[in-house]
Amino acid sequence: MRDPTGRFPVQFLIFLLSQKPADAAFGVRANPFPLGVPMSDQLQLPQKSCALRVVPQPSDANVHGDVFGGWIMAQVDIAGSIPASRRANGRVATVAVNSFVFKQPVFVGDLLSFYADIVKTGNTSVTIEVTVYAQRMSLAEEVVKVTEATLTYVATDSDRRPRALPALD
Ligand SMILES: CC(C)(COP(=O)(O)OP(=O)(O)OC[C@H]1O[C@@H](n2cnc3c(N)ncnc32)[C@H](O)[C@@H]1OP(=O)(O)O)[C@@H](O)C(=O)NCCC(=O)NCCS
């Protein structure tokens, strides 16, 4: 590869420089799975604002580091109550957990993002779909959908009785 003077030819140096990943040159994160799943096929977080973000701590998990389902349910209830109380313009109470699926385990240190959307409203009730994604604590930014749930909240008055949802303009 070296020329008769012992130096590398210019063409070889240009070839080496051209091997630098384009992403790195522009400060974009390189694909951490170059031989695995292409980046375009990896799960991404939804392109919308999430209701809640939280990192489970050791006290939220069993001795193996698996986060308690009950802790996740509590966070889902909090996340769902945010759009529900906004729609109710005030206090709400959880009347039902209609469905709840733990699709993948959650570990201490995961960054959890809770997305909460209104899927139905009635006279006094608001039904919310909550989807939870985990970003695993590792260099490879793996995103996993861990939980899907649907909950119904009821707008309540100061006596904790159901009250009608305010009309939308
Ligand atoms: C929530 C609560 C005030 C509702 O009072 P209620 O007298 O049972 O109310 P109603 O029967 O009039 O139902 C109110 C609404 O809830 C809905 N609802 C009642 N039970 C439901 C169920 N199992 N699943 C889905 N929706 C339900 C009704 O369809 C109704 O909706 P709509 O007005 O939009 O049609 C009362 O049940 C309560 O205080 N529950 C305890 C709440 C609580 O402590 N939650 C846990 C901590 S937040």
Side-chain angles (χ1 to χ4, degrees), residues 2-168:
R2 291 167 193 259
D3 66 14
T5 65
R7 290 176 302 196
F8 289 106
V10 170
Q11 291 86 342
F12 180 61
L13 294 175
I14 291 173
F15 168 76
L16 280 183
L17 286 173
S18 71
Q19 296 310 294
K20 191 176 179 184
D23 277 348
F26 291 102
V28 177
R29 182 174 55 87
N31 185 354
F33 306 107
L35 300 176
V37 186
M39 264 192 115
S40 56
D41 289 349
Q42 289 165 28
L43 189 59
Q44 307 282 321
L45 290 179
Q47 295 294 308
K48 58 183 178 183
S49 58
C50 63
L52 186 69
R53 270 207 173 126
V54 64
V55 176
Q57 301 299 303
S59 58
D60 306 318
N62 64 21
V63 291
H64 306 292
D66 304 327
V67 172
F68 296 125
W71 181 88
I72 299 167
M73 294 179 92
Q75 309 307 311
V76 165
D77 190 21
I78 293 168
S81 74
I82 293 168
S85 48
R86 192 173 295 143
R87 175 63 187 88
N89 196 26
R91 180 181 194 151
V92 295
T94 314
V95 72
V97 177
N98 308 306
S99 68
F100 210 107
V101 182
F102 298 105
K103 298 169 77 70
Q104 295 281 337
V106 172
F107 306 119
V108 169
D110 284 352
L111 172 57
L112 300 180
S113 300
F114 296 72
Y115 294 85
D117 298 299
I118 295 176
V119 291
K120 189 178 148 196
T121 55
N123 179 36
T124 66
S125 68
V126 187
T127 299
I128 308 284
E129 191 176 78
V130 181
T131 310
V132 189
Y133 294 84
Q135 287 167 278
R136 304 297 193 197
M137 188 178 57
S138 66
L139 271 181
E141 251 188 48
E142 185 189 4
V143 176
V144 183
K145 187 191 280 189
V146 291
T147 300
E148 283 175 341
T150 309
L151 303 91
T152 300
Y153 300 82
V154 175
T156 51
D157 61 19
S158 55
D159 295 323
R160 297 191 173 81
R161 300 296 309 154
R163 70 179 160 85
L165 296 175
L168 291 176

